[in-house]
Each structure stands twice: as C-alpha cells, then as structure tokens.
Amino acid sequence: EYFDESLVLMKRYMCWHLKDILYKVRNTREYGFKTDNLSPKMKKVHRNWSKADYLIYEHFNRTLWDNIAQEGKGFFDEVARFKQVNEMVTRFCDVTVANNNTAAKRFGTTP
C-alpha cells in the first residue's frame, strides 16, 4: 500500500537517485481475504482485537500523507514517472534473465 510513494519520498529525503529505489516484485499472490466483505460487527471485533495494529497503521499512514503534502505538486508526477521506469526495468530484466545467453554475457557467467 503506497509503496512507490514511500520510496520516492525516501529517495528525496536521502538525496538518492532513481536507480537507488528500483525494485522487482517477486513471489506475490492475491489473497481472497482482501475482497471478503465482513459485517460491521465483525470489523468492530477485529479492530478491538487488533487495536495496537490499527493505531500503528493509522499513525504511519497519517504521517506519510502529511510528509507527502509538504513535497508539492511535482511529487505525484515523480511517482508516476518512477512507476513507468520501474516497469520498463522489470520488463528488461525479465527478458534478460529468460535469455540465458544474454544474462551470461552481461554478468560473466556460463549458461
């Protein structure tokens, strides 16, 4: 949730370059519980049982958006550009790794 926004914000704070925050998503899957509709009563029970988790999540979510609000209009343009570049790099890496000869030449390994 808002991972790319967090990375761009960290990049700005740490004076990093775009290449410093590129990543490749691996080992992910969809979880059915994200789409399950809980009754209001069950949501309340869950919130009571997980009160500390909710407090921590809400605090850091709020501070993330407070910090982003201070970054100005160009922040979301930078996030959009980062997502584009990261997707292009991911596609390049997928093709390079799929072609062992290219990967072997590039990284000095033998197929």
Side-chain angles (χ1 to χ4, degrees):
E1 200 175 58
Y2 310 114
F3 186 66
D4 292 333
E5 290 83 355
S6 298
L7 286 175
V8 170
L9 187 64
M10 185 170 63
K11 177 187 89 58
R12 287 178 167 207
Y13 284 2
M14 303 296 288
C15 299
W16 288 347
H17 299 281
L18 188 67
K19 66 180 177 138
D20 297 323
I21 61 170
L22 295 172
Y23 66 93
K24 173 142 176 35
V25 175
R26 298 179 55 147
N27 300 325
T28 62
R29 61 179 77 72
E30 292 295 319
Y31 296 98
F33 71 85
K34 289 183 179 181
T35 58
D36 289 344
N37 291 321
L38 297 176
S39 69
K41 181 180 179 181
M42 287 305 297
K43 287 180 184 180
K44 186 175 181 179
V45 167
H46 182 267
R47 190 172 183 89
N48 286 336
W49 275 63
S50 304
K51 190 171 193 146
D53 293 330
Y54 277 89
L55 289 171
I56 292 168
Y57 172 83
E58 289 166 355
H59 169 76
F60 285 105
N61 190 47
R62 184 178 57 255
T63 57
L64 170 68
W65 290 107
D66 289 346
N67 291 332
I68 288 173
Q70 296 175 12
E71 291 299 308
K73 291 186 252 180
F75 180 80
F76 290 104
D77 293 335
E78 187 174 347
V79 170
R81 181 67 182 142
F82 168 65
K83 288 179 179 185
Q84 290 173 338
V85 170
N86 202 53
E87 179 62 32
M88 288 188 297
V89 170
T90 296
R91 283 195 308 264
F92 173 81
C93 289
D94 288 345
V95 169
T96 301
V97 169
N99 183 347
N100 274 338
N101 291 331
T102 303
K105 289 176 193 172
R106 191 164 182 91
F107 300 108
T109 60
T110 56

